[in-house]
Each structure stands twice: as structure tokens, then as C-alpha cells.
Amino acid sequence: MSARMRHSIPISLFLVAIIILTLLPVGLAFAAPTSTLDVRLSTTTPVVGSGDWAVIKVDYSCSSIYNTTCNDVVVSVPIPPELSQAVENVQVLDLSGDTDATYSPTTATWTFTDDIAPGSAGTFTLMVRFPKGATPDGETATLRASATSTSAPPVTSKPLTLTATAEPRT
């Protein structure tokens, strides 16, 4: 291969790279790979008697086209004032043992102890109840979950509405 040919190949590759980078959107050309979180709330008992437990599934997932883990993930569900916020009336459960599940005065929180691999998903359980004897029939409470991570944009679930049934005191 001639000396002239050896110098023209790297220059040609450099020019092709410049053209490609010029045509890509700025954010895409230099963006760090990220992951995506999803969080959803569901229940089989959207109508619950005052003082009875409503069992809520909190489903989460991590995905990434670059095989990037979801790091430092925290899932939280604020407990609305229409529900009893007393510690004995809120249960925050994680049977997998992958999180520190806690309840502060008004928020159920699952803090992951390790990163979540892309393609992983799971379910937590949240149990809440309307205050017994103090909830009017038809009272509603709307819950939303949120998930945050240092490697994924924060997300918020669609709302889940619970409705209380209550009988008048006699």
C-alpha cells in the first residue's frame, strides 16, 4: 500500500465520522446510556369497607436498550389524608427482601439495597384502610406511586382510586 493511500484512509474515516455526528441530534450523539423505570398500582378491591384492609399491588420494572442497570432506586407511595395514616393501619411489605420497606408518617417507601438489572420486574404489597367509624360512605382516596433512580428519569404511576363503603351507626 502506498504512503499516499495509508494517509487517505484515516482521513476518509474521520470525514465519515464528522458527517455522521453532524447529522445526529446533539443530545443523541453524546448522551450517556440510561435505563427506564416503570411503576404501577393495582388492586382487586377498589371498593372497601371502612376499617377493612385494601390490598394494593405496587409493580415495578427496569429496562434499558444499553443494558444499563437502574441504580439507587426508591419507590414511594404517599398515603392520602382520606385514609388512616396511623402506623397500625398501613403495612408496607416486600416478600423478596430486595428493599428496605418503611413507613414514615405519611409515605410508604421501598429503598432497593442493590441495583436492579435491566429486564427485572417485581411486586410489593401495600395495605391501607379508611378510618373505621369516621369515614362517610362513598369517600374516595387516590394514590400514586413514584420511582426515582440515579440512572433513570423519575416516573409516576397512573392514579388508583379506592372507595369506602360505610354503614350508618345505629
Side-chain angles (χ1 to χ4, degrees):
M1 186 182 285
S2 71
R4 183 176 186 157
M5 185 70 127
R6 272 185 298 208
H7 291 292
S8 67
I9 290 175
I11 292 172
S12 297
L13 291 175
F14 177 73
L15 291 173
V16 168
I18 294 287
I19 291 168
I20 290 172
L21 288 175
T22 307
L23 296 176
L24 285 175
V26 175
L28 185 60
F30 300 103
T34 62
S35 48
T36 302
L37 285 170
D38 187 35
V39 64
R40 297 168 188 239
L41 297 177
S42 63
T43 185
T44 58
T45 55
V47 178
V48 62
S50 176
D52 294 338
W53 289 106
V55 179
I56 300 163
K57 285 179 30 178
V58 182
D59 297 309
Y60 68 88
S61 65
C62 171
S63 61
S64 173
I65 59 172
Y66 296 108
N67 205 27
T68 304
T69 59
C70 293
N71 304 328
D72 306 313
V73 176
V74 176
V75 175
S76 60
V77 180
I79 306 302
E82 297 84 8
L83 295 170
S84 176
Q85 295 176 332
V87 173
E88 63 272 9
N89 291 321
V90 178
Q91 294 187 20
V92 182
L93 307 170
D94 173 19
L95 300 179
S96 73
D98 293 336
T99 68
D100 291 325
T102 59
Y103 177 65
S104 68
T106 60
T107 305
T109 305
W110 295 266
T111 304
F112 279 82
T113 53
D114 291 313
D115 296 339
I116 305 173
S120 296
T123 302
F124 307 129
T125 302
L126 173 62
M127 296 174 62
V128 295
R129 37 184 172 189
F130 286 95
K132 186 174 178 103
T135 303
D137 189 48
E139 177 79 69
T140 62
T142 302
L143 296 103
R144 287 183 190 260
S146 64
T148 60
S149 168
T150 56
S151 62
V155 294
T156 302
S157 71
K158 291 182 180 178
L160 174 71
T161 301
L162 301 174
T163 303
T165 58
E167 296 187 19
R169 295 183 192 178
T170 55

